[in-house]
Amino acid sequence: MSALLEVKNIYLSFGGIMAVAGVSFKVNKGEIFSIIGPNGAGKTSVLNVVTGIYKPKRGKILFEDTDITNLPVKKRAKLGLVRTFQNLELFKGMTVLDNLMLSRHIFMNYGLISSIFYFGKALKEEVKNREFVEDVIDFLDLSAVRKKYVFELSYGIQKRVELARALCLQPKLLMLDEPMAGMNTEETEDMARYIIDINEEMGITIILIEHDMNVVMDLSHRVVALDFGEKICEGKPEEVANDERVLSAYLGEEKWV
Amino acid sequence: MNYVNCGNFKTSYAKDAAIYKTVFSKISIYSFLILMLLVPFYANSYILYILNMIFISSIAAVGLNILTGFTGLISLGHGAFIGVGAFATGYLALNYGMNFYFVIPLAALITAIIGIIFGLPSLRLKDLYLSIATLAAQFILEFIFIRAESFTGGVNGMPVAYPTIFGIEINNDFRFYFFAYSFAIVMITIGKNILRTKIGRAFISVRDNYIAAEAMGVDIFKYKLLSFGISSFYAGVAGSLWAYYVQFITPEHFTITVSIQYLSMIIIGGLGSVLGSIFGTIFMVILPEMLRHLVDLLSGVAPFLKQIFPAIREAFYGIVIILFLLFEPEGLARRWNLIKAYWKLWPFSY
Amino acid sequence: MLSIKNIEVVYNDVILVLKGLSLEVQEGNIVCLLGSNGAGKTTTLKAISGLLRPDNGDITDGEILFMGTRIDRKDAAEIVKMGIFQVMEGRRVFKDLTVEENLIAGGYTRTKGEISEGIEKVYTYFPRLKERRKQLAGYMSGGEQQMLAIGRSLMAKPKLILMDEPSLGLSPLLVKEIFKIIKQLNEIEKTSILLVEQNANMALSFSHRGYIMENGRIVLDGDRDYLLANDDVKEFYLGVSSGKKSFRDVKHYRRRKRWLS
Amino acid sequence: MKKLFFMVFLIFSISAFAADTIKIGAIFDFTGGTADVGKPYAEGVKDCVRWFNEKGGINGKKIELFDVDYSYKVPNALAAYKDFKMKGVVAIHGWGTADTEALTKFVAQDKIPYLSASYSEHLADGKKTPYNFFVGASYSDQTEAALQFIKDNKGKTVAFIYNDTGFGRSPFFPDGENAAKKLGIQLVDKQVVDLKALDATAQMLNLKKSGAEYAIVQETYMATSTILKDAKKNGLTTKFIGLNWTFDRPLIKLAGDAANGFYGVSPFAFWSDTDVEGIKFLRELNKKYHPDVHEREINYIQGFSSMYVLLSAIKNVKGPITGESIKHSLESMRDFSTMGLTPPVTFTPDIHKGVRAARIYQIQNGQIKPVSKVITLQ
Amino acid sequence: MEFLTQIIIAGIVIGSIYSLVALGFTLIYKSTGIVNFAQGELLLVGAYVCLHLTVSYQIPFIFSFLITLIFMFFFGFLIERVFLRRMIGEPIISIIMLTIGLSSLLKSIVQIIWGTDTRTFPKIFSHEPVKIGFLNISMVYIFALISIAIFLGIFSYFFKTTKTGVAMRAVASDQQAALSMGIDVRRIFALSWAIAAIVSTVGGVLLGNINGINTSLSQFGLKVFPVVILGGLDSIIGAIVGGIIIGVLENIVGGYIDPLVGGGAKEVFPFVAMIIILLIKPYGLFGTVKVEKV
């Protein structure tokens, strides 16, 4: 397997506090790759560097062997780097459908003029992309809420809408930031299923950040563990789960009484 | 118009994206539009004036709503942009003798360009900072209106000739009604169209969550500028119509008060709603006139009213804005939808 | 001294976060509340301290008693006056105030004399803060900020401190130091502490009792030794599989319909 | 929507109903930017109407005045105008520069004579603006009168101080400049002081550097007061002459000692000019109408005389009273006496400024004193 | 040189009044996050109340001034209670519009009570300018400078040492955290409006003494924006420094550029400067830089 994404020795700091210190890893095509670590370990920061919201102080990001370290955020979506957010970042004032249609933005190829009259190319493109969106809606079982405004929906559904929105961008690499957070068991199971389907049926590579260890262990092909912005372990789920440093990061170094 | 009658199925996505969701609403809208064409044959020039003002203002209000309501960029300089459109009209008509079908698009285009220039700070500024920058735009443009005498006639203002179409001078309220009415319909339809396509969605995404929008591949800066451009284009059209209607423009027509007036229109009507912009305009144009006539009527009973009325009117204006913000923050458009939803199921509304 | 009975918390009138949660803090105890992200730990603390309402949250059911008085309808300010103080997650020091001003703010509910007394006491616990008394809090390191946050809580002379992830983002050594101070506070000042932690083992080892919560409910509770000995606790965090059904095996159904509502 | 229209219709049609009267519209500013002078002006206009009506109206018909406060906002003036038109007014008394200009074309088209308090020269040309009139000397004429006064007092240099609006620039460019040249007075400086300026130190110091002996001021009270105070503070020896909107008691209140020695050009008589017949009359009238008012601003006198001229013109109409006939009646006025409130008023088909003369006054120890004869311009 | 010094001094004085009004604006913004477009109207109300007390009730100026301050304190308090409290957490445009609505309401109330003609204070300060070297400065201006200095002193004492002052800054810095220490945030909000009303009133009374008052005085509220943008929206020291800088720059432009362009530049210059500042230093000289987090 070739590496789809390569993170090379990145450093990131906020006001003197090192959030990420020399993290490197590779994500292979077609795998589910998880990043774990206690709160504040720098997981989301790594994700933010990969998606370009933060610029790393040092280090490089390679996507399909091209250096994207300094590529603006908006261009990364076109390359196929897509993410979801830890705290829902949906467009609350739009319907679910419009949220998803927005993701098709970069695939729609028409200008202001045809948009003004809403005929010809605009109409054709809208319909074509609507078809794609409907496939995703169908895939994630969102058809019942299609025309609802996002703010009306429950948290679990909103999470799913966010996933759908990401899928509409036809990602090559999908980064999920705590997709299960705040969900009940049932919703978690659904979400896990969707993630597996996305990975297996659509062949999309996934980076998963998740706190629920059961999910991580079951779903991931490989896992990297971070603590204090540093990589402490990388490998198969079982290996990571039994790693000394990981255990201590989660459970504390020793037992003080 | 998000409510869809039950038992109404669509078989294509294109139909699903249509503005009017049902045959019934389509028919009622069209018949209303046609009915409006009959109004001038029955109304006097005062009523026509009010309607003309509503048409002109609603174009500008829709423009401002595109920028402020849909894209989330608060503009305190809309009045000045309307001014740009008006002066461009005056300049083009006076110096090149162009007819309105060249002048209006050209003036609007010029306004759009100016709007984009003053939208440039949006690259770095957000929220409050941006709205303060538009406040600056207002004052700077006012200064330019006064100083650039060769273009604007300076403080003395400039006369604007009547527009003519097929040799007919549009020189009274009656004729202007059809003129303004057709512009209003065209501009509002265009607005609706823009807002239901990818551009409109991109605008809302910038408003709702620009970080996510960027992550979705939306070039937010481009869309902010586009929003400024389109919004100013509308202001330009409105300014142009205003110039043609009033036939004499001076910088004093386009002050900060005008900008604020438009903001209150879209707040009262409903941010992020085209229909709301129109409602807001109707409300704000008619309100002072209604009040005036009311006081005229009442002054027979209580003459002192007439004495303090002017101040009361201003107070009323403030109170209306405040009450709307406190109790109907989503504006008249929402109220309208609620009423519609209620009547749709009437008399079995359970 | 504190007992929570069956509370339900809803955000924005929609999202149910706590679903009938109950727990109790005995006088003089350190009680820790463990659980994964999003389980509702912070919400629980906010429900106690009255900080829910500014977040659009609301307690819709159940009651919270503190020293026998119902506090679930009270204002944050009143609750602080009654002796409950929350040290918020992420330290939340006032960055553009100096250390001493931070402490003064912490003692807002006290009189002037008590404030200066309190400041002295804080300095005895944290000599490092005394050295930096005139410095802006924003320029201090994470550990010092955490000390300040705890010191600030002392200013109000609370009977119960709610501590939200004091170890967050600190190095192991500092975490150890912070926990030692928490222990000291409990022993010397006789302050009860309700501790929310992800660092389960460490937190447990300092506590008298622990609760483990998931999805807005308490799923396990017991005293320290019981919990430390419990295999589930370890598993709960690392999920080393022991016969549990894997998520990969969950079946799913899918409709294939294409109706436009 | 339709319901709404119906309601609008209803209210409007009720208010449109009236008996057989002579309808006159009035656009006033009670609350806008010029309310301080607009209010007394309006009172003058209203008192005049009241007086006429008490005398029995015009040819037995009562005058019905529709007055509107437009808050100095042009769209309001437009709305008011359309309303007036609907109600069938035969003449309108307006107010400021911007609104008057905005209505110029309409009144010409609808043939409704329009009197206003904007004395801009370009509103005085009967060919270009056939239905605009004003009773007063144009700002340009006032400037010329001031320059004449300077020449009579052997002044050689002058500066213009104005605000950057149509109102402010109208007296000087180009008329004032030309008049100075014609009279051989050197224009040495131009300074802009904003209408709301709180400080004019920079302008006054520049003026000081220019060494102008006289400065003609086109502002309103507030800015004038700023100018006078800052001039005094910085030890200027320049003598200031203000045009009609700068000069009356409110200025004395505002500027205090600094107002002493300030000259004013006025085509109108002041309340203190008790030897004038019209002032005597107005004092009596006020005793009757407003027993608790003892003093009136010049703006009141302005408003009164302007309306007096209009109503007198209507009175002289032979045949049916229409906008056109009133226009002819106005244009045939020759040396019409306003009881001395203004110099005699003359309109011709070409010249629509009623007065071509003004007098120079001076503030001496807080009192307004005339210091020149009436300066009549050719 | 003398010319330059003169206009700089005049600029400082006018600027210091800008500072006062901007200070009120900043206080409100800093602690409540509300952008107050009605700052000018607070000033107006304060000035009229003081005038009314002095003229109608013949109260000696110094007492009527003090009474006005007390009155305005409660007035500001009341405004927050009645109108702004419900707006906490609303989108910024609603807040802007609410304060705009408030401004037209306050202005018309002033008009209903006091009418529209320009009113003047009885002669309180001598009109004779004070001579310091070659400089001529009016008494009012000296009084303005002194009162601003006094206010600064009071403020720095209040914010540095008193519990309430520190609490106000704490609320500004982190509302939730402040709430968690038992600080009554809503009271602090109301308090900041009260103080803002007071400082604006001082500005209003000074302006009234310089040149009389009418409703157009409220336009002063808009002048505040360039000042606070320059100084940094949430910085008290920024409001003061910004006010003086804008005052001085305005006068320099008035003195040197206006004669070249034929005037008007002085009025528009602050806004041009504002755009430039916004582009170079969006958070002003002393403002807190906001970091976006996802």
Side-chain angles (χ1 to χ4, degrees), chain D residues 40-162:
Chain D
Y41 191 95
E43 279 165 14
V45 171
K46 283 183 182 170
D47 277 1
C48 184
V49 172
R50 187 173 163 189
W51 175 56
F52 259 77
N53 275 337
E54 280 179 14
K55 285 200 306 182
I58 295 172
N59 305 330
K61 284 186 188 171
K62 292 267 180 216
I63 302 149
E64 194 180 2
L65 187 74
F66 300 103
D67 62 318
V68 168
D69 165 48
Y70 81 117
S71 296
Y72 211 62
K73 286 175 194 156
V74 176
N76 287 355
L78 266 174
Y81 172 73
K82 302 280 173 177
D83 188 22
F84 290 160
K85 205 179 126 190
M86 186 190 78
K87 285 171 175 159
V89 302
V90 291
I92 296 174
H93 201 297
W95 175 241
T97 304
D99 44 287
T100 305
E101 281 170 346
L103 292 174
T104 301
K105 276 206 169 180
F106 290 123
V107 294
Q109 195 184 354
D110 299 329
K111 304 200 165 136
I112 301 175
Y114 191 95
L115 270 70
S116 69
S118 168
Y119 305 148
S120 288
E121 186 66 36
H122 66 279
L123 291 170
D125 186 335
K127 289 212 182 72
K128 284 186 189 148
T129 55
Y131 277 84
N132 284 80
F133 295 86
F134 57 80
V135 178
S138 74
Y139 301 133
S140 309
D141 288 348
Q142 292 181 31
T143 307
E144 207 181 324
L147 288 166
Q148 188 68 50
F149 174 75
I150 293 168
K151 199 184 173 193
D152 293 347
N153 287 284
K154 312 217 161 34
K156 292 201 169 47
T157 52
V158 71
F160 294 154
I161 303 176
Y162 55 94

Side-chain angles (χ1 to χ4, degrees), chain C residues 7 21 24 29 38 49 85 95 137 139 146 149 197 205 208 225 236:
Chain C
I7 56 164
L21 175 130
E24 225 163 285
N29 269 7
S49 60
F85 197 100
K95 295 198 175 79
Y139 292 119
Q146 187 64 56
E197 257 303 336
S205 52
H208 301 95
D225 298 333
F236 184 73

Side-chain angles (χ1 to χ4, degrees), chain E residues 2 10 56 98 102 144 154 165 189 209 211 218 245 285 290:
Chain E
E2 184 183 328
S56 301
L98 188 107
L102 195 63
I154 294 174
F189 283 2
N209 273 299
N211 219 351
S218 62
I245 293 180
L285 293 177
K290 274 194 196 129

